[in-house]
Amino acid sequence: MLVKYEFLKILRRRSTIAVMLVSLIITAVFFGLPVIQYQTYDGNGVHRGLEGIRCNKERYEKISVPLTNEYVAETIEEVKGLFGDPANIGYDGQEKFLVDDAYWNDIAYRENLLDLIAANFAEPNVTVGYNSLPLVEDSVETDFYQARQDKIEKIINDPSRKLSETEKEYWLKMNGNVETPLQYGYFEGWKVIISCSELFIFSILAICIILSPVFSGEYQTGTDAVVLSCRYGKTKLGTAKIAASFLFGLLAFTLHIIVAFAIPLGAYGIDGWDLPLQINGTSVPYPLTFLEGTLVNLGVVYLVLTAMIGLTLFLSSEMKSPYLVLTIVIPVLFIPMFLSPNGTAGIYNLLVFLTPYQSLIPNFASYISYQVGPAVLDSFTMNAAVYAVLTLILSPLAKIGFKKHQITG
């Protein structure tokens, strides 16, 4: 009954309704912009919005194929043939590209696929497009999966990454679990969801704003003298407030997730949920589908949320005003937005990747790892562990802070 009462107390505040409405609108706008701004081109011109999405989806029906070595080799030879005709080639002073019918009929509908193949044969950290495919030599170098393996080994052996032998072994073993040949296909809806994940920082902030008065609001209005003197004021009430806060936070955030996912998946479709992450970048080491990757990242996002709820409640139990609580919570959430990692190694970078904002970004292709003794943890596992521990520490501290609060005149 206490939990129910405290939950309804949070829910019925006018500020709760106002902040939730604003936050849901912001979430809808952020995740709706990729749909509104979407555009694609063909020989007839530009197609925007839902029409453009429909046109692009139809194109993928021609290229939803397994990326076997034979298919890749044939595709490369086709592109080489197109570049072999001088009438097909344009030049901008720096690089050659295909023009007119050669581009619109043979390249445009599968340009993303061709770029993926080209990038697989390129050196790490080098951006290339389909026009680099004629440079791929025949024979062994057209082995798509050997090229992928060679590239991954170059990545993990890069001295700037400073990976230990144990970490290198960890990543090679994970890469070994990726099933080949890769199945290519349409995955635009999941691509939007994964690329916009850090935008949930605003949803988390909204929930923290709503929960900041849970304890400090009692102090500010002077009702602390009443509630703490009640029968369960110093025992069960604190626990009820914390439980109600987490219940509200999780339900409110889930509502944001539903809105955020419904818009891109409704517009682009759910196609691609079972396709491997590697078709968005072949050097991705995680043997996951887009759905699995989304759920793994979502698990970390929820743990960041619970830790921030725990921090908000702890500060609320120690401070006399909700505004003071937010003067700490807001910088904790948003200052890391301006802390740019300069690599994936070193204490500074590894700590930056553990901040709330950076933890929301799914670094599937970054080979970020933490070695704890003989154990190696990837960034998702490490973030999950850190924020789970913070939640377990901060929540009891909030209860203790409320219980020990001294009532003043």
Side-chain angles (χ1 to χ4, degrees), residues 92 152 191 213 277 283 302 304 309-310 357 374 376:
D92 63 1
I152 288 169
K191 183 179 179 180
L277 289 173
S283 59
Y302 266 100
V304 173
I309 291 175
Y357 176 75
V376 176

Side-chain angles (χ1 to χ4, degrees), residues 9 71 107 245 252 314 384 387 407:
K9 187 176 178 181
Y71 177 83
I107 299 297
S245 298
F314 168 65
Y387 286 98
I407 302 171

Side-chain angles (χ1 to χ4, degrees), residues 26-320:
I26 291 174
T27 298
V29 169
F30 281 153
F31 282 84
L33 280 176
V35 177
I36 297 171
Q37 297 177 342
Y38 187 86
Q39 58 185 29
T40 187
Y41 299 84
D42 60 21
N44 298 318
V46 60
H47 302 276
R48 295 184 173 88
L50 294 177
E51 181 192 358
I53 292 171
R54 179 184 56 78
C55 292
N56 192 40
K57 196 171 182 180
E58 290 176 355
R59 295 176 183 175
Y60 270 84
E61 293 178 1
K62 304 177 184 178
I63 52 175
S64 296
V65 296
L67 298 182
T68 62
N69 280 322
E70 293 75 17
Y71 177 83
V72 171
E74 290 174 4
T75 301
I76 293 174
E77 286 305 311
E78 289 176 15
V79 176
K80 285 182 177 180
L82 292 170
F83 274 97
D85 185 350
N88 294 335
I89 299 176
Y91 185 67
D92 63 1
Q94 294 182 329
E95 57 185 14
K96 297 178 180 179
F97 51 89
L98 296 174
V99 296
D100 300 329
D101 289 345
Y103 176 77
W104 293 116
N105 295 337
D106 298 296
I107 299 297
Y109 73 93
R110 55 175 177 168
E111 187 168 355
N112 288 337
L113 170 58
L114 296 176
D115 289 346
L116 177 77
I117 294 173
N120 186 68
F121 289 99
E123 292 295 312
N125 303 316
V126 176
T127 302
V128 297
Y130 73 90
N131 53 355
S132 70
L133 288 175
L135 302 177
V136 178
E137 298 181 10
D138 297 329
S139 69
V140 69
E141 292 194 29
T142 57
D143 187 324
F144 186 76
Y145 295 100
Q146 184 58 52
R148 175 181 181 271
Q149 182 66 24
D150 293 343
K151 184 172 184 177
I152 288 169
E153 290 181 6
K154 289 178 181 178
I155 291 173
I156 64 176
N157 286 308
D158 186 338
S160 67
R161 292 185 178 272
K162 300 178 182 179
L163 295 177
S164 68
E165 292 302 318
T166 304
E167 288 175 297
K168 293 177 184 178
E169 183 180 346
Y170 174 85
W171 289 117
L172 286 174
K173 183 178 179 181
M174 179 182 287
N175 269 297
N177 293 326
V178 174
E179 294 185 7
T180 58
L182 302 174
Q183 175 65 41
Y184 192 77
Y186 181 81
F187 60 96
E188 291 298 310
W190 299 99
K191 183 179 179 180
V192 169
I193 288 173
I194 289 176
S195 64
C196 294
S197 181
E198 66 269 24
L199 296 176
F200 285 121
I201 195 77
F202 297 100
S203 308
I204 293 174
L205 172 62
I207 291 169
C208 291
I209 290 173
I210 292 170
L211 297 179
S212 60
V214 166
F215 294 115
S216 59
E218 306 282 11
Y219 309 156
Q220 189 178 47
T221 58
T223 56
D224 53 338
V226 177
V227 297
L228 285 170
S229 61
C230 293
R231 181 180 179 184
Y232 298 116
K234 288 184 176 291
T235 53
K236 296 182 179 181
L237 182 59
T239 301
K241 283 180 173 291
I242 292 171
S245 298
F246 275 100
L247 178 60
F248 172 83
L250 292 171
L251 291 176
F253 192 71
T254 299
L255 181 58
H256 283 81
I257 293 291
I258 292 172
V259 171
F261 282 27
I263 294 174
L265 293 181
Y268 293 95
I270 65 171
D271 310 65
W273 65 271
D274 56 343
L275 297 178
L277 289 173
Q278 285 71 28
I279 64 172
N280 195 35
T282 59
S283 59
V284 171
Y286 295 89
L288 302 171
T289 64
F290 281 97
L291 176 59
E292 291 168 341
T294 299
L295 293 176
V296 167
N297 184 58
L298 194 58
V300 174
V301 172
Y302 266 100
L303 287 170
V304 173
L305 168 70
T306 59
M308 291 308 303
I309 291 175
L311 175 62
T312 301
L313 294 176
F314 168 65
L315 294 173
S316 183
S317 72
E318 297 289 338
M319 297 181 170
K320 296 183 178 181

Side-chain angles (χ1 to χ4, degrees), residues 170 300 377-386:
Y170 174 85
V300 174
L377 304 177
D378 60 70
S379 61
F380 294 97
T381 305
M382 188 65 178
N383 278 302
V386 167

